[in-house]
Each structure stands twice: as structure tokens, then as C-alpha cells.
Amino acid sequence: MACTLLEFCRFQDLKPVRDFLFPQQREEKKSPDNLTSWETEDWGAWEENESQAPAEEEVASKPENAYWLQDCVLSLSPTSDLMVIAHEQKAVFLAPKWKANEKGREDMQYEVVWSGALNVEDSEYISSALCIPLASQKRSSTGRPDWTCIVIGFTSGYVRFYTESGVLLLAQLLNEDPILQLKCRTYEIPRHPGLTEQHEEMSILYPSAVVTIDGFSLFQSLRACRNQVARATASGNENVQPPPLAYKKWGLQDIDNIVDHVSVGVMALSPFDQMKTASILGGFNASIKGSPPTMSQHITVGSNPFTGFFFALEGSTQPLLSHVALAVASKLTSALFSAASGWLGWKSKHEEEPQPKQKPKVEPATPLAVRFGLPDSRRHGESISLSPCNTLAAVTDDFGRVILLDVGRGVAVRMWKGYRDAQVGWMQIVEDLQDREPDRGHPAPFGNTQGPSRVAQFLVIYAPRRGILEVWSTQQGPRVGAFNVGKHCRLLYPGYKIMGLNNVTSQGWQPQTFQICLIDPVSGSVRTVNIPFHLALSDKKCERAKDLHLVKKLKTILKAKVPNHERLEAEVKEIILDIKYPATKKQALENILASERMPLSCLTSITQTLMDLLRSQELEAVDEGLLTFCEDKLKLLQLYESVKRINSVTTEDDVPPTETELAALLRLDEEEFTRLQTLIKNYKQDYTKSGVRFADDEDGVLPLKTFLEYLECNKNSINVKKIGEEDYIALGSFFFWKCLHGACSAQDMCHALELAGLGPQLLLSLLLKVWLSKEREILENTQSLRCLHRTLSLLSSMKVAIDESWDLQAVSPWWQQMRTACVQSTHNGAALLSAHVGHSVASSITNALAEKKFQKSMQEDDGESMTDSWEALSLDTEHWKLLLKQLEDCLILQTLLHCKTARKSSKISSLQVEPLGKLSVKKLLKGGKGVVADTVAKWVFKQDISPDLLKLARRTKKDQENTEESEASGDTAAHGEPESTEAVEGIQEVLSVASGHFPCSLDLDVLHAHCCWEYVVQWNKDPEEAQFLVRSVDHLKLISNAHVQFGLTLMMWNTFIIKRFSAAAYLMDKDVGMSDAAMTTFLGNCTDLIQTMMEADVGSEEMHAPILELEDAWVSVEGPSSIVELALEQKHIHYPLVEHHFVLCAILYAVMRFSLKSVKPLALFDSKGKNAFFKDLTSIQLLPSGVMDPSIVNLRQQFLMKLVSAFVQILSPGQQPAEAEALPDVPEKQVDWPALATELAKQLQVNEDTVWRHYVCELYSYGLDHIAEEAILQVMDLEVLASQLLVLTGQRLAFALLRTQTKEGMELLARLPPTLCTWIKAMDPQDLKNTDVPIKTTAKLVDKVVELLPENHGQYSLALNLIEAVEAMSPS
């Protein structure tokens, strides 16, 4: 085994993170041809043995924005449950979630859980971050992480603590200088009794000071603050003072510049080191204490000295106590309690008073001089990383070196060159006692598998300039691993685990924590390094290293092209026999079996040789696991060879069976078999229209490597591993494909598989998978039925297939397995045929068992056994009959879904192009009572079937023949999109067949209800498709049962209509998500919907609710309630409230239809009317009553008159409004607008006769006298109407006499009576909409006026004079 890079998580998408942190890169495009931003940084001095040119070329090949992660502050929790990426003042928190990848498999992906700016002051920036998991205090999860605290250091000197959701817990100012680094140390159990127990702490590095916070104090304070925030958020401000923070602050002296540091922890000097130190400091007469002092060691890197060692005596200073402030969340703001140690005030930054904020008090630091260091005036340190065992540290500098320090001695022990900008980390690997190498020369303590585990330290170096990740064995070990990872990664090494553990809780179960991780922003992967322990051992003494060398040699040989297989076999045998370790032998054998260059004979020979060698050894020296592995693989190889041999022997089968033979084989009579053939033929015709079969597709071929990956041995049996559906089918095809085509002996195949140890249940599952998945080929080959019958009979005759003690009165598990496979299959044709075959074989076997029991019972003279046996046979047969009926129904339904019609309209919505899913019996059984009607409704929507055609499909053939001519022509005229006669007949035929099989599920009302719901659901997805809503309302109107119709209208209103309807009412002049054309159609259908609802509510009192029944074969259906069931559960409406909505809907429809933009619909109602709108129609609301405000009534009357005028304008020839062209391409809704206006007048307390008189006057004004004469019959106040028409007559005469200014006209005007002449001159003909009216028509109007006016009317004489004037003007 060698080092490997393992991916344990991925980023869902890093681009939003980069765009949030670096807005300036948001618009940049990554183009390899246009590189405008190159890496221009100085490369510094490189050694002679380092290659500079290739590195420069690779850096130049990437745009600068690929390196954005190098400029960020990163931190990842050791438990990998939270990651922080920060830049300047912004930060992003990411957490892993289970997501489906591109291949459809679930894996862990980091996604953003919080993002925002963390700065409180404008001038502060984020300089460091930590993610510290805190241990749970619950007994059930001892030792596991409870939550993760995010610690952020700022350039202002503040350190702030946050929860995973970005809630601020604590904020502390311990020093006024910028924070350089945050580091943490958690508890670890000492490996040896002599080691000093290290306590938890968090250290904060400033340019001239370091602060260490006690871990226990920090843990308790963070828990208390988090609990306080939770309580305050839930129930208000509840203040509980947490324990104070204990910290120490050291002022680092005698060093010019500090960049990074590590806190080694508490250490005790050995007696020799104690005497040496005392002699150096105190001289000859120095006194020595009895017990060596304990000190806290700190190491810094920077300049002058390059590395500084500081030692702080324990107990020399008292720890400072800092009062913790609680950040209490109150809605959207956080407040901090003010204390003497420097916590922020209660007010947030949004509530702070304008006076200048005073900086909190900062405690002075205790001076701490450098004890010694590594002086190098030209060298500047950049980072330092402490090993997990606290004995070594790796330091990087600006010369491109990585220096290994011995922490205890304070000396550099090793140096690596050529690693500029290097990032380092440590891996501590514990030896597995099972893999311990036996050492004959050292029997104890490491000569056997007893004794403590050894620990090895590995240094991981990432060189971004070269894009390489290296693993080195320390202290003087070789490089044991190298990976090319790219130049834009980040290497993270936390150096800590879970905070809050102790010597008791840390011994329990602990979650997996990573030691280092590599983040690649380009690929989005988060990886860690897996290092085997044996790489730390010496190459000269390690037999494992020799074995690994042999494995590498073996891999090279297997990859090489060797034409001589005998020579290759000999070399491979020699290598695998030379390997010592059983685990390595197993690894080598796995590589050999996975090779595609080795023939089957060579693999069998090699495996046999290795197994013979193991058996020839002494029993104690043989590795049982390796021997079992060889035996299992040899068994699989022999099985593969047997199957290949049987498949290669082609058997000449008999001639294809006749229809009579197939009918007898399936135990069907001639009529039943013919019917089955017809069903399969219809299904096959529609099924084979779609889909492609490639000529080079090979079935029944499986490579040996794949075969070995699919199967596993378990003692004497062979099982299939957890593989995918396609892999399962491929394995089954390898066994049975040729058997199903009669190309090989099914008996030999079943016998070979049984001898190998494959169970009959597994073989039955493989056989059915192949049969059901290869439906297209199966339906084309009639001989396959006989082959399936033969193979199934052979499998059923195996020993453990059907238990001999099976009671015939119970359901057989063997046949139940087959029925379950048929029920779950979506290939209905193949499933139906396999069920017929299974029924035939099961009947044969059951009859044989029944006959045997019957003979036995006759011998015992037991007369009742025969009856019991035949009842048991009937019980098992009923299961098959039920399944056959269900499969047949499902097949017919699937055939219906495959049926397509030729569309006359070229416009097809994208929603109608989406394919329908395949059906199965299981899907129908789990889909609820309405699943059949819902499925057909989806097909009706896809094919856009006319609602009237559904009626024709339910009629008998005789009725269709009698009414074919009349109905077909009527439907064609009604729907405007004629369909071909063949298409109509085809639709009627498939619908009739489906309705015959589902008489209850496809009841006409049920089908119309589901079609109505399907259309309105699809319309809701795209409201611009107005024709979908029209179709939905058409289906709704065709529902005959008022209970179903009413419930469905109420569901449509509450689910889809009311939201858009209310938006249209409030935002009539604004954008409501629909075009004007679609909105007009929508409002028109809303009026129909509400009117249908009111009619259905009244009609439901006169009829009973329908009883929903199911077919006998589908009574066991389960699942959600159907649309019809839900419709029948709806409550009754408050009828006046629905009428109230109908009035508003009609007004809105009129406004949109006639473009009455100046009208504000809601202004026509008072406050009570407005408040009642858009409430639940089943509730009782306070509606307007009594006398309405005259101003509102006046507005209503003006609106109704505008409506009538707009309608008459449309009736007038040549007066079409401009908006008429924008109507959608749907059938125009025919509305009697004058009658509707009169109906609205009743509801709006407007005089109906006033509206109707205005309608008559408008008709005469537009010259539509013939329509006006009919409308006059409905006028109540004829006297007022006559006065209005008299004015109209005068306007017509004024235009005829005065505007033309002819000689004849002037003479006629002079002959008229002076009173009449003056009256005509006073008329204004501009009010007429149509002046081109014949004088004869006007004469009729004058006669009508004289007829309507009473003789005692003041204008009656004027009307008589008008008769003479018109007669004089009329041509002779």
C-alpha cells in the first residue's frame, strides 16, 4: 500500500463564494485564449537543482482569479462539519450536506449556511479564524461534538466568537495591536506515564505579545453564552452571569518582528537540564530546587532572531480574570454586556449614541524575554507548524526552505530546499497491531502483535509554485509520497481536535477527525492524505517494502503488452510466490484478476498454484483468509468458464411453435390466446414507434473482470453484491440470454449454476430481470415464450425452490417472488407474458403436488383431502388470475398512453411535449383511487383531446353509428380545430377499450374532473397558455353531477384562481404576471367558474352525491385521495358572498375586454364590500346592505353606461377597437353584455331601466335601428325613452339640413314652422356616433317616437311636425 489522496467532501458551488468575497472578479470570464492577469510576483533565489522554467510556464497558464483562495483566511473544523472562508470584512460559513452528484449518487457537499460582513468598525479587517468543535455534555453523546464555535481575529485587536449561524456570542479586546494568528490546543491522553499532561488553551498572537486563554474557562463561557442567546431569543432577556475567562498575557521581548508562533505547552526539565540551566544562569554557586520547575514553552518565527524560544514559569504570575459579556439576541440585533475587562456595551452599533465610544481598558502584559533562538539576520520566518506529539516543528522562510526543528533541544535537524511559499502540516499515524511486522531478532516488546502501538510522524509539504504535495518521513526519512495537485490549492492543518474533553470522556467513542486537508477551488474537492504506517519503517529491514516493490513490478508487467501468455503466466507466478505477507499476496492476486490482458486459463492456473501452495504449508502457518479468498475466486473462475462453454455450444432448437402449441403451453383456449395476441400486437405497435436499437449491441457478453466484481462467495453459496440495475441485468443476460433464445441448453446452464452454489431465488430474480428489461426483443421472438417456460420449469424443480412440505392452502414464496417482480415492472408486455408462463408452470407443479397428496389420502381412505386440495389449488390460482387481470389492465392503459393523434395546430406548448412516465401495477396500486383517471387526464392534456370526444368514447358502437354524422360535424364546428376521421376513430377506440376495463375509474364525471384539474395545474405553471384554462372550464361544465362539479370549482378557486384574481383587482393597471390578452381570458373564465359554482351549489340540493366504486381487481389500491374524493369533502359556500365576487369578476372582465382603463373597479364598492372580497367563500362575511351612497351609485351607473357604449361600438360595422387584435388565440367567449349589464345593475342598486334605455339610445346613435327596435320592447319607462329618442331624431335632421347647406335643404328649412326650425337649429349633431343614416330609417324612428309619446306630452306636437318634415325630406 502507498500514500493516497482521499476525497471526503466537495463544494456544491464555489463561484457564489468567490463572487461574494471578491465582487471585482464577478464579471471576469475565464478564457484560456485571453489571459490578461498573470502571476508577476518575484520568485526569489532558487537552488541549482530546482527547475524554474516549467513552474513559470504553469503559473502563466492560469488566470489570477484562480488563485483567489490564496488571499483568503481559511479554517476548517477538525470534524469537517464547518468551514469558514473570509476576506477583508466578509465571511462565508459552509456546512456539509448530503447532495446528489452528477452520477445521481449521494455524497457530502459543502453549501453556504451563512454569509455577511463581520466587522463592527469600518477600519478593521479579518486577519485570522478558527473553527473549534465543542464537546457535548450529554450522557448519550459523550465525546462527540455538540456545536462548533467560530473564532475570528481582527486587525483592530478584537477577537469575536460566533455560532454556526453567525450569531455573535462574545467580543474581547485584549490588546490594541492587530491580531496576527489564532491557534488552539485540545486535550490529548499522554502516550507514556512520564509525559506531562497538556491542558487545553487558545493562544492569540499580537506583534509584540501573546495571550493564552485557558481552555476550560473558554469552554464554560462559550456554553453559557450560547445557552443565554437561545433563552433570550425564545423568551426574552434573561441574564445569567457565566464564569469569567482566565487568560495570561505575555509581552515578548528581544525580538524584532514576529509573524507566527506555536504554544508547545507545559514542560518539565529533566534533572540534567535543570542543573545545566542553573549552572549557566547562576554560576558555580547556583542552588538547585528539589523538584524541577514547570514552564510553558512558546516558539515564534520572524526576524532577529529567526526563531525564538520563550519559557514562562508556571505560577510566576496570576491569571487575569475577564468578565464575560453575553450577546443576547433580540430579533435581528445582538447586544453585549459591558464589563471592566473590556466587553462591548449593551447597545448594538445601530443603536449607539452619537458620542465617541471609549475604548475598553486593556490589561498590561507581563514581560517575557527570549531564552534563546536561531539567529540568522538574512532569514525571515513565515510560518511554523507543531507536530501532534509536540516534539518537532516545521518552519518556512522567505528563502524557499522548510526547516525541521527539534523542539526539546532547540536545534534545526533537517532542511528542505526549493519550497517557496510552502504550506506545511503534520500527520500522526498509529500502527495497526494486526499488520505488525514479525521481527525474529527482537522478540519483545515489538516482536509480536502484543504491546503498545507505535506512532510515526509524517511531514506534509505543499509547494504551490510547483503544484505538488509531498509526504516525508521524519526525522531523516525519505519522501514516501508525491501528488500533482495544481498551483491554486490551500493546505489546512488545524493542530487540534475537540475542545472540552478530559482523560475520561476522551477514552470513549470519538468521531473521525482529519489532521490535514487540501482544498482545490478549481475542482471543488476537499481531500486528505492516507498514509500507511509501514512507510515509516526502514527499507532495509522491512519485508513489507519488498512486497510492495514486487506488487509494483507485477503491475508493470500486467500493463505491458506481452504476446506470449505462457511467459507472462510464469513471471506472474514467480512474483506472487515471492511475496511474504498474506495481505500483500491478496492485493497482488486482486490485481491479477482485475487485469484484462490475462486469459482465463492463466488466471485459473495462477489461482490454483497459489491455493496448492497454501494447502501444502503447515496448518498453523496458513492464513485462513487468503486461502478462503483463493478458493472463492477459483470457484468463480470455474463458473465463468462453465457458462462460457455452455453459451458457446449452439443447439438447434425445434421449429418455432405454432399458435395452438403456445396456447396449450400457456393453458389458454383459442379465444383467450387470440385476445392476448391482439393486446400484445397493439401494445407492440405503439411501443416500437419510439426507441432505437443499435446493431452492435451485444447481449449475453460479460468480461471476466466485471463478472468477478459482481459476485461474491459465502461458504458454499454464491451471492450477488450490491450492484446497479444495469449491472444486474448484464449478469442475468450472461447466464440466461441465449437460453431465452434457444441458442444454448437451458438444462445444462441451470445444472451448472446450481452446482456452483447459486440459489434458485437468485437465479429466478436474474432471469426475470433479463426477461422484463429486454421487452423489445422478447416481443419480436415468439420462441422465447417456450424457452422461458422451459427455464422456469427447471429452476422450479431445484431442491430448495419449492419446499416439499409447503402447504397448498398457503401462498408459495417462490411464486410470490415472481409475481412481485411482475407487479414492479414497467415493461407491461413482457410482464404479462411472464405472468402467463408463471401461471402455467405453477399450475402444472401445483396439480402434481395435489395429485400426489390425493393419492396418499385415498390410500388412507380420507375422503375430505381431495376437497381441501382443490380448494388450495383454487386459492393459489386466484392470485395468478388477479395478477393477470391487473397486468392486462395496466397494459391497456399503457397502450392508451402510447397512442398519439395528428395535430392540426402547429402551436404546441412546451408543457405538452414532456413525455409521460411508464406505468406498473405497483404504481397503480400505490397511486390512490384516482390514479387511472389522473393518468388518462395527463394523456388527454398531452394530446389536447377535445372534451366532447370523451363523451363519444363512452357510447356504444350502435349509438356511435346512429349519431356519427351529426355529432362529428357538430364537434368539429364547435371546437374550430378539426381532426381527421381516422384520428377521431382511433381515439374513440382506445378510450372505449380502456373504459371497458376501468368502468368505475374512468367514469365520465371522474374523467372530466381529472382532466379539468390537470389543465388548470398546467395553466398555473404558465398563465400565458390561456387555452389551458379554457379547456379546464370546458371539462368542468361537462360534469353532470353537481356535487362533484361544485367541489371541484371551489378547489380550483382556492388553489389557483383567488391569488391571481386578487392581484388583478388590486393591480389592474400594473404588471400581474400576465399579458393583457391572457388576463382578459383569465377573467372571462373566472366569471364562468363562479357562475358554475353557484349553479352547482343550487343543483346539488336536488341530487345525491355519487358513490365512488372501484373495479374488483383494484379494490386493494392505496395512496392519496383522488380529486373527486376531495371535491366531495368541500363545505357549502355562502351564496351571497359568491354573488358578491361574481359582480367584481364581471366588472374586471368588462374592463379588460373593452379596455376601460379609466375605471377603478374597487372604487365601485364601499368599505364593507371591499373587506368582504377574497375571503373564504365558505365563511359568512358582513356584506353591504341598505341604501348605498349616492356617489358610489352614480359611479356604478357611469361604469355600466360605459360598458354598454363599448359593446355597441363593437357591434357597429367599422368601429372595432384597437385592442381586439391582441386577444389570445382561443375561442371567443360569447357574452350577452347588455343582459349582463342589467344583471349587474340589480346587484349594484342601479336603475336597470336607465341602463337599458341608454343601450337603446346608443344603438340608435350608431345607426343600429333594427337592433334598437327589438331592445325597446324591454324598456319600462317608454315616455322618458321617447323624449331621448326625440333628441336623437332632431340631431339626425340637423345634420341632414344644416351640414349639407344645399339649396333644397334651405328651402325645406324655410317652409318648416318657426318653432320646429328653431328647435332643429339648437340640436348638436356631433353627439351622433353614426350620421350616415338613411332618411327612411329616421322616418321610422319619428313614427316610433310619436307612438311612444302620449298625446298630452309637451313635445307631442313637435313630434307631429317632425313627421311632416321627414316626409318632405324623403325622396319621392
Side-chain angles (χ1 to χ4, degrees), residues 1300-1333:
T1300 56
Q1301 298 291 332
T1302 61
K1303 181 179 179 181
E1304 293 79 5
M1306 293 296 100
E1307 292 177 353
L1308 178 60
L1309 188 62
R1311 291 198 302 267
L1312 294 177
T1315 306
L1316 180 60
C1317 182
T1318 304
W1319 182 77
I1320 291 177
K1321 290 181 179 180
M1323 295 294 105
D1324 185 8
Q1326 291 183 356
D1327 294 338
L1328 290 174
K1329 304 299 187 300
N1330 184 10
T1331 56
D1332 188 16
V1333 179

Side-chain angles (χ1 to χ4, degrees), residues 1206-1276:
F1207 172 69
V1208 176
Q1209 182 183 0
I1210 293 179
L1211 293 180
S1212 178
Q1215 298 289 336
Q1216 294 292 335
E1219 287 77 3
E1221 300 178 358
L1223 293 176
D1225 186 18
V1226 293
E1228 177 68 24
K1229 181 184 176 184
Q1230 302 298 326
V1231 179
D1232 188 357
W1233 288 104
L1236 179 61
T1238 306
E1239 181 67 25
L1240 291 178
K1242 294 180 183 178
Q1243 300 289 338
L1244 297 175
Q1245 298 184 11
V1246 177
N1247 191 336
E1248 307 163 35
D1249 202 51
T1250 303
V1251 176
W1252 197 262
R1253 290 199 308 269
H1254 179 73
Y1255 171 56
V1256 173
C1257 293
E1258 285 294 300
L1259 289 174
Y1260 278 113
S1261 179
Y1262 279 95
L1264 303 173
D1265 293 30
H1266 58 288
I1267 303 177
E1269 291 174 359
E1270 298 178 2
I1272 289 177
L1273 301 177
Q1274 299 185 29
V1275 176
M1276 302 298 295

Side-chain angles (χ1 to χ4, degrees), residues 418-476:
Y419 293 90
R420 188 172 294 277
D421 298 334
Q423 302 169 24
V424 296
W426 291 89
M427 291 283 288
Q428 179 172 280
I429 307 300
V430 181
E431 178 190 22
D432 188 356
L433 294 178
Q434 300 297 327
D435 296 337
R436 174 166 290 177
E437 174 187 348
D439 193 346
R440 299 181 181 84
H442 300 83
F446 303 112
N448 50 36
T449 58
Q450 303 300 322
S453 299
R454 293 175 287 184
V455 176
Q457 307 285 332
F458 293 91
L459 178 63
V460 181
I461 305 175
Y462 170 57
R465 297 293 184 97
R466 294 186 290 165
I468 189 172
L469 184 73
E470 298 180 345
V471 182
W472 292 82
S473 177
T474 57
Q475 296 181 9
Q476 303 297 330

Side-chain angles (χ1 to χ4, degrees), residues 919-941:
L919 298 177
S920 66
V921 175
K922 180 181 180 181
K923 185 176 180 180
L924 295 181
L925 289 174
K926 298 296 183 181
K929 293 183 178 180
V931 64
V932 176
D934 184 63
T935 303
V936 177
K938 286 181 169 56
W939 171 76
V940 169
F941 168 74

Side-chain angles (χ1 to χ4, degrees), residues 130-204:
L130 280 182
C131 294
I132 305 177
L134 302 183
S136 174
Q137 299 296 300
K138 299 178 182 178
R139 292 184 179 181
S140 60
S141 56
T142 301
R144 306 185 184 185
D146 184 17
W147 63 288
T148 302
C149 179
I150 297 97
V151 189
I152 305 292
F154 294 86
T155 55
S156 61
Y158 273 99
V159 56
R160 297 186 176 96
F161 302 81
Y162 301 87
T163 64
E164 303 99 323
S165 57
V167 177
L168 178 63
L169 295 177
L170 305 175
Q172 179 79 44
L173 181 65
L174 299 175
N175 201 46
E176 295 184 351
D177 295 329
I179 294 178
L180 301 180
Q181 287 290 340
L182 296 173
K183 294 199 174 180
C184 181
R185 183 176 70 245
T186 53
Y187 180 80
E188 290 286 343
I189 300 177
R191 294 189 60 248
H192 305 292
L195 295 179
T196 305
E197 189 175 54
Q198 301 295 333
H199 297 286
E200 297 178 326
E201 70 174 18
M202 190 185 78
S203 57
I204 309 171

Side-chain angles (χ1 to χ4, degrees), residues 891-995:
L891 178 74
I892 290 173
L893 200 58
Q894 188 69 63
T895 305
L896 173 67
L897 299 185
H898 288 157
C899 181
K900 296 182 180 180
T901 61
R903 297 174 183 265
K904 294 293 183 180
S905 176
S906 59
K907 182 181 178 182
I908 300 176
S909 172
S910 59
L911 298 173
Q912 294 176 307
V913 179
E914 299 176 1
L916 293 170
K918 293 185 177 181
L919 298 177
S920 66
V921 175
K922 180 181 180 181
K923 185 176 180 180
L924 295 181
L925 289 174
K926 298 296 183 181
K929 293 183 178 180
V931 64
V932 176
D934 184 63
T935 303
V936 177
K938 286 181 169 56
W939 171 76
V940 169
F941 168 74
K942 300 295 181 184
Q943 304 301 324
D944 200 16
I945 305 297
S946 171
D948 292 326
L949 288 181
L950 301 181
K951 283 185 179 180
L952 299 178
R954 299 290 299 185
R955 298 180 180 177
T956 61
K957 292 185 177 180
K958 184 177 181 180
D959 294 336
Q960 291 179 12
E961 291 174 359
N962 295 335
T963 60
E964 182 179 2
E965 297 180 359
S966 59
E967 291 289 343
S969 60
D971 292 336
T972 303
H975 291 275
E977 289 186 7
E979 298 173 346
S980 63
T981 306
E982 294 80 3
V984 173
E985 292 178 353
I987 293 172
Q988 292 181 16
E989 182 179 355
V990 294
L991 282 174
S992 299
V993 173
S995 300

Side-chain angles (χ1 to χ4, degrees), residues 393-406:
V395 181
T396 62
D397 59 24
D398 58 344
F399 287 168
R401 309 294 199 272
V402 177
I403 301 172
L404 187 65
L405 295 181
D406 188 324

